[in-house]
Each structure stands twice: as C-alpha cells, then as structure tokens.
Amino acid sequence: ELQLVESGGGLVQAGGSLRLSCAASGFTLDDYAIGWFRQAPGKEREGVSCISTREGSTYYADSVKGRFTISSDNAKNTVYLQMNSLKAEDTAVYYCAAGVDYYCAGFARDYGAWGQGTQVTVSS
C-alpha cells in the first residue's frame, strides 16, 4: 500500500533551520511527484514545494524561495525539505503528499495520498 510518513518537525528560533523527512513506501519516487504543504490554525492549506524525480524538476512557493530546498534520496525512498532562515510565519503543520501523476502541481486536489503531518514552530 502507498504510505507517506513525515518526521523532523520541532521548535526552533527565528533564523534557525530544520530538515523535514518524508519516507515513502509502496511506490518508488519516480512514480509520482512529491509535494510539501503546510497549514496554520485558521488558514488554508498552501503548497510549499514539489519535486518530480522523473522530470528532474523542483518548484517553490514565492514565500519560501531561496530559504527552503527540496531533495530526494532514491536509495532510501525519502524526500527532504531543508528549511533555513525560518520565520515566525513559517509556523504550521507540514504535510507531504504523493501526486496523482509524476509531474508537479500546486493544488491539494492534484495529490492523492497524504502523510500525518509534522508540527513546525518558529519562535520570535
């Protein structure tokens, strides 16, 4: 079965860094795009980043461009989100999701399987 498990969230001061992991099982990373989304209390879920290993392409929301980096380790079947220069507005639950196809898309409706989420809290 297709499963995604996030880890690596926690509490960090503004300006600090965290690395989130998304461990995939039941498929290989070239089968589907992997997206990162986040949701803060009272706000809509928003797309953060996406990687398509088949295309060799990555995408970032304007709000995180230059600060976050998405990458993959195919041997471990894992996708990472390196988050640097964190801001208070980055505080949210972060989710990884598998797309319905191998190419990246920016909306939640374009993803069919989701992890449980991991909390990221940035203090100021």
Side-chain angles (χ1 to χ4, degrees), residues 3-4 8-10 17 21-22 24 34 37 41 47 61 70-71 73 87 98 110 119 121:
Q3 287 191 322
L4 302 165
S17 299
S21 298
C22 176
I34 302 296
F37 293 77
I70 191 169
S71 63
D73 185 337
K87 306 173 181 179
D110 299 311
Q119 176 71 48
T121 303

Side-chain angles (χ1 to χ4, degrees), residues 37-112:
F37 293 77
R38 66 187 183 187
Q39 188 166 25
K43 299 183 67 176
E44 295 182 344
R45 186 170 298 187
E46 63 174 334
V48 176
S49 185
C50 181
I51 185 168
S52 170
T53 60
R54 187 181 299 187
E55 293 185 328
S57 59
T58 59
Y59 297 89
Y60 300 92
D62 288 342
S63 59
V64 306
K65 194 171 298 181
R67 299 189 297 122
F68 291 10
T69 303
I70 191 169
S71 63
S72 64
D73 185 337
N74 285 6
K76 296 181 178 179
N77 220 41
T78 299
V79 171
Y80 303 97
L81 185 68
Q82 179 67 46
M83 306 185 296
N84 298 328
S85 301
L86 283 163
K87 306 173 181 179
E89 52 262 43
D90 295 317
T91 296
V93 177
Y94 284 70
Y95 302 88
C96 66
V100 298
D101 214 326
Y102 64 85
Y103 52 85
C104 280
F107 297 100
R109 63 175 179 265
D110 299 311
Y111 296 82

